[in-house]
Amino acid sequence: MFGTQKVSTGAQVLGMLSPLFLTISLVLIMVGIGLPYWLIYGGTSYGIFQICASSVTSCSFSITELGTSHPDSVLHWNIMISMAVIGGFFLFMSEILIFIYPCKKEINHCKLGLGAVSCFFCFIGALLILAVVGMMIGTASVSVTDVTTVSLATTDYLGWSLYVSFSGAIFAVFTGFLFSIHLFLACYY
């Protein structure tokens, strides 16, 4: 309840689950973004940061590789890298704020503001990661694999790292909603 230190049981449970769920989603996103298995085409694995030949031992930085083989897709890759880094940063900041949140015991404007900023950062970070997944499915798969229509970019071309990042981003959106409900319950019940 606002102005006190009393929090309902439901709000306590959601307050304890939110940091756990956000940590899980952040790990899923970082694992997915860091590995080069977003698109698999002709024995070559394309990731956001790396492009690997049939063996993982011969990998190169994606911008360097695409600059020589597919120069028209370099801009899209730069945008995806920027969005992935900024999205990861927002999720990491949300994680820090959610861990700082319980330090204030009394429910007041300061604590609710901290929680609201954490929810906002969580949603922004998750939406940026979802945008990266969408760009990889649409624009990047078309330009990298030289497919003429997006409809041909089926699951045959999509690797498991894309699905891991997508799952982490959806889990982060879910966590943002849970923490928003926690803030409402902590304030009014």
Side-chain angles (χ1 to χ4, degrees), residues 96-151:
I96 289 172
L97 292 175
I98 281 184
F99 279 116
I100 291 173
Y101 174 81
C103 294
K104 286 197 62 76
K105 299 298 180 196
E106 184 178 338
I107 300 169
N108 55 20
H109 294 310
C110 181
K111 183 170 181 150
L112 292 176
L114 181 69
V117 169
S118 178
C119 285
F120 176 74
F121 282 179
C122 183
F123 285 128
I124 293 297
L127 290 176
L128 284 171
I129 299 299
L130 287 173
V132 170
V133 170
M135 284 183 70
M136 182 63 89
I137 291 171
T139 309
S141 66
V142 170
S143 62
V144 169
T145 60
D146 294 327
V147 178
T148 56
T149 61
V150 178
S151 62

